[in-house]
Amino acid sequence: MKLKVVIHDAEEGGYWAEVPAIPGCATQGDTYEQLIANIYEAVEACLSIDIDTLELAENDRIMELAV
């Protein structure tokens, strides 16, 4: 999967980034390298769900996609 990330200079120094394809997915970092690492963590957290907490009907199924 490829995602576009918008990287901004933070007013207080460092950087912050947002992933427009995933509403609410944003992160920050003091250095560019830290920001990149934090982007990977943020995307993983935004896309992960705990399937044990989902309420499923008897005939519902869970499918996993790789894109």
Side-chain angles (χ1 to χ4, degrees), residues 12-34:
E12 62 280 352
Y15 305 91
W16 72 277
E18 58 186 321
V19 184
I22 307 172
C25 189
T27 190
Q28 61 85 36
D30 292 330
T31 65
Y32 188 77
E33 292 76 19
Q34 184 183 41

Side-chain angles (χ1 to χ4, degrees), residues 38-60:
N38 291 347
I39 289 170
Y40 281 99
E41 278 186 29
V43 168
E44 185 177 335
C46 289
L47 294 178
S48 68
I49 59 165
D50 184 3
I51 62 171
D52 295 332
T53 62
L54 294 177
E55 293 184 24
L56 301 174
E58 183 178 333
N59 292 324
D60 290 346

Side-chain angles (χ1 to χ4, degrees), residues 1-3 22 43 47 65-67:
M1 172 186 287
K2 291 184 179 184
L3 295 169
I22 307 172
V43 168
L47 294 178
L65 298 175
V67 294

